[in-house]
Amino acid sequence: MKKRLMSAVMAGTMVASLAACSPSPKAPAESKGADTAATTAAQAEEKKEETAAPAAAEAEGDKTLTVYAWDKNFNIPALQAAEADYQKNVDPEFKLNIVEQSQSSDVENAITLAGSAGDYSSLPDIVLFQDHYFQKYVTDFPEAWASFEGASVNWDDFGKEKLSYSTINGVHYGMPVDNGTVVFAYRTDLLAEAGYTIDDMKGISWDEWLEIGKKVNEKTGKYLLSMDGDGNDLPYMMLQAEGGSQFKDGDINLSENEDFKKVIDVIVRGVKDNVIYLANDWSDYTDQTIVGDMVAGVMNGNWIIPTIKQVSDNSGKWEITSMPTLEGKGKEGFASNGGSSLYITSNCKKLELAQDFLAKTFGSGSTETYDAALKNGGVITCSISAGTSDVYNEGVEYFNNTPIYAEIVKMGANVPVVEQSDYHYPTRTQVAAAIQNIINGADADAAIKDAEDQVRFAMQG
């Protein structure tokens, strides 16, 4: 139990970054010392007094639910849209008490502190939680959660990949909120200078993409793609588009993973040929390469769109499509990066109300909830049916008046389910280091094997 507790504390201290997605958190620092559990329990006693007032919201009326969420410009407008929808169409006396957190790790810490103390009474009714972390927290604190058992939800209305994070042993624990589907956005004016159109970028191989990238760089001086070199998400996204994972049967799987090695080779060649630019850190990636207009293409979870749109002079010049694949020949690549869902805690005294609220807003494909969430916060639905609304099918001026939001929802339904791991972020750190070493002249197989050994050591520690 101590090992599980310590691992949860480590994950809970990670710092989140953009929006709901936390695309580039650092790997958790190693937690050392025999006093970890005792220290955490003491912290929980201090925290309990601070959080007890909003928790469960019983004093605020029988039809009030409290939720912890972060990002007043993204997630919170989506929750406010759901509240208004439920009040209008179900119960005008309903109230959602939204307690804003400064970042996603605040929610993780709240669960960790309550679980380490063995007392979940400080928790709210509902929490917004990052998809990549949830299964770990169910493993470490199984008594912290309630499920959607008995709720009327059409789960087939969501992509299987999105549900895979929050479904454990066939039981649904989470209600999907934001869509993390990967988009590959291109500057069509820059493609045209090199003799290409957006249609030329669809269903191609990565080798073909590299050749196009060389010509784009030669003609325009722009890179065709950039990424944070320290928190490099490219290997994960590219491998998922192949239907593959960096893990197999619960173990790290890099050195004998042929698709993984091919992906790394594409990235290394791209960097050497001035097609891919690996930024020094996250701010360099967003502020310098994207907002600073260094690139003709951007590939990441669709939450990167607001960053792209910061350059008003480029309005109308961007369009989106799917990812290349190793095979090409018309095969389109689909992946997801980032995203979160809403979870009901075991401290919720109004379980049926919480289930009904979430089921009839986020879980019913409600166009009122999802249209308002898109307009007011930029949250793109995971609901396939909600993505067919008139609002989703409106052309977006910045992207040449194409209906990108409806297209993103369609792409999200095609993202393959791949094996996930609690060691997703430590693996990303080691793989990013391996890529830099290979670029600097290290033997590729040796660097990949070293990264694998480092992750396996952490997994066995």
Side-chain angles (χ1 to χ4, degrees), residues 81-96:
E83 178 189 28
D85 184 1
Y86 196 78
Q87 288 170 340
K88 175 183 175 182
N89 295 299
V90 182
D91 188 347
E93 296 183 5
F94 174 79
K95 181 181 178 184
L96 191 63

Side-chain angles (χ1 to χ4, degrees), residues 206-400:
W206 281 108
D207 283 340
E208 292 171 317
W209 179 88
L210 285 171
E211 291 305 310
I212 293 173
K214 292 178 187 177
K215 293 179 181 178
V216 169
N217 183 262
E218 178 184 336
K219 292 291 185 178
T220 70
K222 307 285 186 181
Y223 297 89
L224 198 52
L225 180 61
S226 62
M227 183 52 61
D228 174 8
D230 185 41
N232 197 331
D233 288 321
L234 286 177
Y236 173 80
M237 293 186 288
M238 293 170 68
L239 192 58
Q240 186 178 35
E242 305 298 326
S245 172
Q246 297 169 115
F247 302 90
K248 183 178 180 179
D249 300 327
D251 193 15
I252 186 68
N253 179 36
L254 304 181
S255 63
E256 297 182 4
N257 189 332
E258 292 305 314
D259 279 351
F260 173 80
K261 290 193 284 187
K262 290 176 182 177
V263 161
I264 299 303
D265 179 61
V266 168
I267 296 171
V268 171
R269 284 188 287 144
V271 172
K272 291 182 177 180
D273 290 336
N274 292 323
V275 178
I276 299 174
Y277 180 88
L278 295 183
N280 294 322
D281 53 33
W282 184 255
S283 62
D284 186 26
Y285 166 57
T286 57
D287 299 344
Q288 299 301 319
T289 70
I290 300 177
V291 180
D293 226 11
M294 290 175 57
V295 294
V298 174
M299 189 185 87
N300 219 319
N302 61 72
W303 38 260
I304 202 66
I305 288 173
T307 302
I308 298 174
K309 291 175 70 175
Q310 287 185 42
V311 188
S312 58
D313 288 346
N314 289 337
S315 180
K317 299 176 183 178
W318 289 90
E319 290 190 40
I320 70 166
T321 189
S322 51
M323 299 167 56
T325 62
L326 291 172
E327 177 184 349
K329 299 178 182 177
K331 179 184 176 183
E332 296 181 68
F334 302 99
S336 180
N337 191 33
S340 58
S341 301
L342 289 163
Y343 297 89
I344 303 172
T345 76
S346 59
N347 191 43
C348 181
K349 303 300 190 296
K350 310 178 194 72
L351 179 59
E352 290 186 4
L353 176 61
Q355 289 179 334
D356 193 63
F357 162 63
L358 294 173
K360 290 179 178 175
T361 53
F362 295 106
S364 66
S366 170
T367 56
E368 289 198 34
T369 290
Y370 283 118
D371 286 355
L374 178 62
K375 288 180 176 180
N376 300 333
V379 172
I380 301 174
T381 181
C382 301
S383 164
I384 297 169
S385 61
T388 64
S389 75
D390 290 342
V391 169
Y392 272 79
N393 278 284
E394 290 177 1
V396 179
E397 182 180 1
Y398 197 91
F399 289 88
N400 197 25

Side-chain angles (χ1 to χ4, degrees), residues 13-29:
T13 59
M14 295 174 66
V15 177
S17 52
L18 293 180
C21 314
S22 188
S24 278
K26 303 297 182 184

